[in-house]
Amino acid sequence: ARVELMKMEKMEIVSQLAASISHEIRNPLTVVKGFIQLLQTRPMPRETEERYIRIASEEVERAEAIIHDYLTFAKPAPKKTEPIDVAVELQRVIQMIQPLAHMHSIEISSSLKHGVVIGNVQYFQQCFLNLAKNSIEAMPDGGRLHISAHRQGGAVVITIVDNGIGMTKEQVRRFGEPYFSTKEKGTGLGTMVAVKIIEQMGGTWTIESAVQKGTTLTVTLPAGRVQPPASEQSAAG
Ligand code: ADP
Ligand code: MG
């Protein structure tokens, strides 16, 4: 019964995540709608008109950022769990963030050993995309991002290391808290989504960070066993 309860809790986290997106983007959309309505009250000073347009487009950008933090990889049925090869999927994430890293003169290096975890592959990618993006954003004047993965006992350990602005103790404590952001245009949702996905996979995370030195994030996920093909399963009885 305990195993079943755990399963239910995991499912709940998944549907919570899916449900909160519509809630999150409703706010900026309401603002956009309001300003479009205001823009219909003509005549109005040119300056006012420009201000309204600016606010409306900023809110559209905000909705976009929220969608990015939540479901860059989302597919219509994201609940499927399967064996995930962490080396392959982290390599995909690295490929995705390469242009952003390049733009900020950030060099990405990696050491990815093959390891399997069980989860939803879209969520896995979303999680590490959000974490890697934060590392890049922590190095506005360039730096180095290192991503590694290796097996350790019954777990797969993934580290994301940057030499960026780092975090204070307070910021480390609030990591994963919804809406907590130190960025001008931050959503404060990226780490919340990442932490939920890690927990959903039965994993844990730790942060080591020093202001102006950088941050090391360590994510430990239970290693999954690859299912043998159906024929072998039945042969084994
Ligand atoms: P956002 O990126 O929109 O601010 P997140 O939830 O992704 O929201 O991150 C929350 C906050 O955590 C960031 O604003 C930043 O202060 C801090 N943070 C997360 N990762 C790092 C990192 N690698 N280096 C420094 N600060 C970080
Ligand atoms: Mg972020």
Side-chain angles (χ1 to χ4, degrees), residues 134 137 183 190:
N134 280 340
E137 286 164 0
K183 296 166 198 168

Side-chain angles (χ1 to χ4, degrees), residues 69 134-135 137-138 162 165-167 171 175 180-183 186-192 215:
D69 278 351
N134 280 340
S135 282
E137 286 164 0
D162 69 59
I165 56 171
M167 286 186 256
Q171 284 166 4
F175 188 91
F180 170 67
S181 176
T182 53
K183 296 166 198 168
T187 62
L189 296 172
T191 55
M192 187 272 282
T215 302

Side-chain angles (χ1 to χ4, degrees), residues 39-108:
L39 280 164
Q40 284 163 346
T41 44
R42 296 251 157 66
M44 69 170 70
R46 177 76 194 253
E47 268 172 37
T48 311
E49 190 180 285
E50 278 171 0
R51 191 159 54 86
Y52 288 176
I53 291 171
R54 185 166 41 78
I55 295 170
S57 37
E58 274 171 12
E59 289 299 311
V60 169
E61 273 172 31
R62 183 172 162 73
E64 242 172 28
I66 291 169
I67 289 169
H68 199 268
D69 278 351
Y70 267 103
L71 28 76
T72 302
F73 301 100
K75 296 256 168 73
K79 282 182 189 170
K80 195 174 125 219
T81 59
E82 59 202 310
I84 297 170
D85 184 328
V86 297
V88 171
E89 299 311 329
L90 288 173
Q91 192 55 50
R92 290 221 173 105
V93 171
I94 291 171
Q95 254 169 36
M96 271 208 66
I97 57 170
Q98 197 71 63
L100 185 70
H102 188 76
M103 246 166 52
H104 293 277
S105 317
I106 289 159
E107 210 181 293
I108 305 180

Side-chain angles (χ1 to χ4, degrees), residues 173-185:
R173 195 178 59 72
R174 298 185 69 178
F175 188 91
E177 181 183 308
Y179 310 113
F180 170 67
S181 176
T182 53
K183 296 166 198 168
E184 202 192 326
K185 288 193 175 174

Side-chain angles (χ1 to χ4, degrees), residues 1-44:
R2 217 182 128 200
V3 172
E4 252 165 34
L5 185 70
M6 272 177 58
K7 254 191 206 157
M8 254 186 59
E9 280 168 2
K10 282 180 188 177
M11 286 294 282
E12 247 166 54
I13 296 171
V14 178
S15 43
Q16 261 175 28
L17 208 61
S20 38
I21 169 87
S22 72
H23 171 80
E24 292 297 343
I25 57 173
R26 200 163 288 146
N27 281 336
L29 290 186
T30 304
V31 177
V32 173
K33 205 169 150 191
F35 277 96
I36 287 172
Q37 271 160 12
L38 281 175
L39 280 164
Q40 284 163 346
T41 44
R42 296 251 157 66
M44 69 170 70

